[in-house]
Amino acid sequence: MQNPIYIPIVNSQDEIIGHGEKLEVHKLGQLHRAFSILVFNKKRELLIHQRALHKYHSGGLWTNTCCGHPNEGEEMQAAVIRRLIEEMGFGCELNYSFKFHYKADFENGLTENEIDHVYVGEFEGDFKVNPDEVADYKWVDMETVLHDVTISPEKYTVWFKEILKREEVENLV
């Protein structure tokens, strides 16, 4: 059995006020720190992935390149690099872009209540995704993904749709 993972609980100013076991934090809907990663290739296509079907929420939905939470005592920059390698099987330089808050309740009783830090990178090359995390992936141009989210929002994660609404994303296209 895996050891429990503890993630930062934050206040509305994104200051760490404690740590909680990841699943329990989501059961209680506590405000916590998270990150989302957007990786583009040289053609400015975004790498998106379909979450593994067995994920604790949003399984089978399409989302940004990678996302996660820093572990207790882990700096955000180290966490984003670690998670990109764990989930997508490659690393690249990642730069902080912006952060935002969102809250979403899921049918299974879990709640995402996150201050989500968004990082952006560029990558070219081969990689092998972690099948425990990723069911499928593809490179898509932003116009295509923005159009598809508009006509089929049910196919995408809540946080990815929130990211795409942000004016900061317009500067990335």
Side-chain angles (χ1 to χ4, degrees), residues 35-39 46-53 55 57-68 83-84 86-90 127-140 145 155-157 159-160:
F35 58 82
S36 291
I37 300 170
L38 304 172
V39 174
L46 175 64
L47 178 60
I48 64 173
H49 81 272
Q50 183 183 33
R51 288 169 60 88
L53 301 179
K55 297 291 276 188
H57 69 70
S58 305
L61 297 183
W62 286 90
T63 196
N64 49 288
T65 309
C66 178
C67 57
R83 193 70 186 134
L84 182 59
E86 287 174 357
E87 194 165 297
M88 300 305 291
F90 68 88
F127 57 96
K128 185 175 179 186
V129 298
N130 180 344
D132 290 334
E133 302 287 343
V134 178
D136 198 4
Y137 65 90
K138 59 187 172 183
W139 294 96
V140 294
V145 77
K155 294 185 341 189
Y156 295 90
T157 63
W159 60 91
F160 186 44

Side-chain angles (χ1 to χ4, degrees), residues 10-45:
V10 297
N11 62 21
S12 59
Q13 287 76 49
D14 194 31
E15 300 164 330
I16 296 174
I17 57 172
H19 294 86
E21 193 278 317
K22 185 171 114 172
L23 190 55
E24 192 67 17
V25 166
H26 290 93
K27 285 179 182 175
L28 298 173
Q30 293 175 294
L31 182 61
H32 60 281
R33 188 175 286 169
F35 58 82
S36 291
I37 300 170
L38 304 172
V39 174
F40 294 88
N41 62 19
K42 291 193 186 311
K43 294 189 278 186
R44 299 308 295 159
E45 294 169 320

